[in-house]
Amino acid sequence: CQFTHYRRRFIRNPTYHPLIMARNAQNLIDVATNLLLTNETEHSTGLKNLLYEAKIPSGQRSMLIALVNGAFKEKDQLFAVADEEGLMDALPAGSSTSKRDLVELQCVLYEALLGSRRVRGTSSIVTLVKGRKADLQKVLASRRKRGATNKYVPKIQMPRYCRVNHLLCTNEEAQKHVESYGYKFSSPSPSTTDNTISPSAYCAVWDPVVPGLFALPAGTSMHGDELVDSGAIVLQDRSSCLTALALSPPSTANVIDTCSAPGNKTMMVASMMGSNATGSVSAFERSHRRYLTLSRRIDEQGGSGFVKPVERDFMDVDVSTEFQDVTHILIDPSCSGSGLVASYGAGTKVELGEDENEIHATNGVDDDAVLGLAHAQTELILHAMKLPSASVVAYSTCSIHRTENEDVVLSVLNSNSDWECVEAVPKWPHRGMEADEFKSFSKKVIRADYDKDSTNGFFVARFEKKAVKEKEEEKEEEKEEEKE
């Protein structure tokens, strides 16, 4: 009967054959193992970029993201369970000294105990874990009961955010395409109190604050969609859109994105400027691997006309002789990533490529590490402000630490009196941390978090050069006088 059951399924769809399913599962484990190994040995690359670059069938990408992030987050717990159960002593000869076998074990343990709860594959590690799965589950339950292991925490489920790339597609075209799947769109008005978005089944919601962004129900997979694959629709978290929105350069602007890869914020800037823009965008990336990713994304999303990738560290720019005509600068630098509430959670369906900067996950607050990041962030902003034609700087982090956010803004303002902090994204209701030392700008910067805004933790500030702002105000006054 069992053979007949599988035979019928196999005739309808060959991928249901148990041998093929086992090979596919092993391929997923192998790719996850290689990514985690590379992440440990090549820290400059970043796990999210490795996930974006991974060559895997589109139907398995969400499973890969869940597996890699879950195994990464739960590493200590998984090996503690394996050690207590005795599995570590039962590993095949050589595995105790083989780094790759241990990382594969980490992935298989995650799937068996915390992920899909299935153990599929063809390797000796899979066979070993499969035979001890029941005992491993008992040890995990025992550890939870005595408080040695954290109890199950429901996974954070965010809406699937999609941004329309106006270089290749209109809102109307994107809506018609998504409606062909059976979704119905709604367009709520901005609210000063409720900024959450929670689409129900087969409903899509246009973002009331971010133009061209819409949300689908949590868990919706858009991988393999023709408009996503063509770059016309971009999978990008809501918070990740706020930096470009804060910058809002005109079509005539000359823009620099100082830390670009893999390029979603860069290309959102280009999309806002439009296909007929007379300005330019220079996208800096110092890592060769991420530069290649950035270049590919620029081409895929229709930016090759006026978006130029630059393989270089922005801090090496000679501001007295280079990029003298740059007016707008986007700065989303390396940060602690402390605001990414879902990025390391298993099964969240959150696209890691939505946040471009290199994340230095601290697994708690490492004061020295965060202070070091804040110093580098401040220096980057001050360096950008030295460009002679610079008039606007948008700064952001996916951090919740004041050290990387309000403290950086305060340090910049104290170091350069020619610039001021002005209101960023006026329609966004949630503002900065209220403290006496921040009172001059706390209502001008913005913060985002999951509970209030249905997105990752984020911070954005907009700086403007005073002389430029004064000239613009004088022009406005002259226009008003002429009208009178």
Side-chain angles (χ1 to χ4, degrees):
C1 292
Q2 187 177 18
F3 173 79
T4 302
H5 168 70
Y6 279 122
R7 184 174 180 274
R8 287 172 180 168
R9 292 177 71 187
F10 179 69
I11 290 171
R12 288 198 298 269
N13 188 344
T15 60
Y16 278 125
H17 192 284
L19 292 178
I20 295 176
M21 292 172 73
R23 289 171 189 160
N24 289 342
Q26 187 63 48
N27 178 63
L28 186 69
I29 291 169
D30 290 342
V31 174
T33 300
N34 291 337
L35 291 184
L36 289 169
L37 273 173
T38 304
N39 185 57
E40 290 188 13
T41 55
E42 299 179 23
H43 296 288
S44 63
T45 301
L47 189 59
K48 64 192 179 307
N49 286 325
L50 291 172
L51 279 165
Y52 173 76
E53 295 168 353
K55 291 179 172 56
I56 193 166
S58 59
Q60 288 189 316
R61 188 162 295 277
S62 61
M63 292 186 283
L64 178 67
I65 291 171
L67 172 56
V68 169
N69 290 317
F72 177 82
K73 179 183 178 183
E74 303 294 345
K75 176 181 178 180
D76 292 342
Q77 178 183 170
L78 294 169
F79 281 119
V81 171
D83 187 53
E84 186 172 329
E85 191 273 340
L87 183 148
M88 301 304 289
D89 295 329
L91 288 172
S95 291
S96 59
T97 57
S98 169
K99 182 65 175 175
R100 193 188 190 287
D101 283 347
L102 289 175
V103 176
E104 181 181 350
L105 176 63
Q106 180 183 340
C107 293
V108 177
L109 285 170
Y110 176 77
E111 281 292 89
L113 300 176
L114 301 171
S116 67
R117 308 301 200 277
R118 301 189 193 97
V119 187
R120 288 176 178 164
T122 58
S123 71
S124 58
I125 296 292
V126 169
T127 302
L128 180 66
V129 173
K130 184 183 292 186
R132 307 173 78 104
K133 180 182 176 183
D135 291 335
L136 288 165
Q137 288 175 324
K138 289 178 183 177
V139 171
L140 176 63
S142 173
R143 288 176 63 84
R144 283 176 173 166
K145 188 174 182 179
R146 66 178 189 265
T149 297
N150 293 332
K151 293 184 179 180
Y152 171 76
V153 178
K155 303 178 182 71
I156 290 175
Q157 291 279 317
M158 287 192 193
R160 161 61 74 195
Y161 289 104
C162 304
R163 176 175 61 80
V164 180
N165 176 10
H166 293 141
L167 295 177
L168 300 177
C169 186
T170 66
N171 287 357
E172 292 73 22
E173 290 169 336
Q175 177 168 330
K176 184 178 179 180
H177 175 73
V178 175
E179 285 176 339
S180 70
Y181 293 131
Y183 288 89
K184 292 184 178 180
F185 274 77
S186 63
S187 302
S189 301
S191 171
T192 57
T193 55
D194 186 6
N195 194 38
T196 60
I197 297 177
S198 183
S200 55
Y202 284 96
C203 288
V205 180
W206 284 109
D207 194 296
V209 178
V210 183
L213 186 73
F214 63 89
L216 299 173
T220 302
S221 176
M222 291 292 286
H223 295 292
D225 176 81
E226 59 182 294
L227 291 192
V228 172
D229 288 348
S230 69
I233 291 178
V234 180
L235 305 181
Q236 184 169 356
D237 184 55
R238 189 187 195 195
S239 63
S240 180
C241 298
L242 295 174
T243 323
L245 191 58
L247 190 67
S248 290
S251 61
T252 57
N254 291 311
V255 181
I256 280 181
D257 185 344
T258 62
C259 313
S260 299
N264 277 349
K265 294 182 182 72
T266 305
M267 291 310 300
M268 182 173 175
V269 167
S271 176
M272 294 174 71
M273 292 173 67
S275 56
N276 296 321
T278 57
S280 65
V281 180
S282 298
F284 277 72
E285 179 49 57
R286 62 186 180 183
S287 162
H288 178 65
R289 181 180 296 218
R290 291 199 297 267
Y291 168 79
L292 296 177
T293 300
L294 171 65
S295 300
R296 184 170 65 249
R297 182 161 292 192
I298 290 171
D299 289 338
E300 291 172 349
Q301 297 186 16
S304 55
F306 65 100
V307 181
K308 180 183 178 181
V310 181
E311 188 177 0
R312 191 175 173 191
D313 188 334
F314 176 73
M315 290 299 291
D316 292 336
V317 169
D318 184 347
V319 294
S320 64
T321 60
E322 299 180 274
F323 298 97
Q324 301 295 284
D325 59 348
V326 166
T327 56
H328 291 65
I329 303 156
L330 188 151
I331 302 177
D332 183 63
S334 299
C335 72
S336 65
S338 55
L340 300 181
V341 294
S343 288
Y344 295 116
T348 59
K349 312 296 185 186
V350 172
E351 184 83 13
L352 293 194
E354 288 161 4
D355 285 285
E356 289 80 6
N357 51 284
E358 181 182 353
I359 304 301
H360 296 264
T362 55
N363 294 322
V365 179
D366 182 334
D367 290 336
D368 290 338
V370 173
L371 283 170
L373 289 166
H375 175 74
Q377 292 154 358
T378 303
E379 291 300 307
L380 191 57
I381 298 171
L382 292 173
H383 186 62
M385 287 177 170
K386 294 176 183 177
L387 288 168
S389 299
S391 60
V392 180
V393 171
Y395 168 71
S396 65
T397 72
C398 51
S399 170
I400 59 173
H401 302 318
R402 58 169 279 175
T403 307
E404 298 177 272
N405 299 333
E406 287 87 358
D407 283 341
V408 167
V409 172
L410 184 62
S411 179
V412 167
L413 295 177
N414 287 338
S415 301
N416 192 333
S417 59
D418 293 334
W419 289 72
E420 62 182 329
C421 183
V422 302
E423 188 178 30
V425 193
K427 291 182 180 179
W428 194 264
H430 302 126
R431 297 283 139 179
M433 184 180 291
E434 294 184 2
D436 288 342
E437 58 267 42
F438 305 143
K439 62 182 178 181
S440 66
F441 61 82
S442 64
K443 299 296 184 183
K444 299 173 182 176
V445 300
I446 64 173
R447 277 181 174 261
D449 68 38
Y450 173 71
D451 292 328
K452 294 179 180 178
D453 310 296
S454 304
T455 189
N456 281 297
F458 213 74
F459 174 87
V460 184
R462 176 182 165 108
F463 299 95
E464 289 184 7
K465 200 168 188 175
K466 291 180 180 178
V468 174
K469 186 179 180 183
E470 290 169 1
K471 287 180 181 179
E472 290 178 350
E473 290 175 350
E474 288 175 3
K475 288 180 180 178
E476 289 297 322
E477 290 176 1
E478 289 175 1
K479 288 180 181 179
E480 291 296 325
E481 291 176 0
E482 289 176 0
K483 290 179 181 178
E484 294 175 358

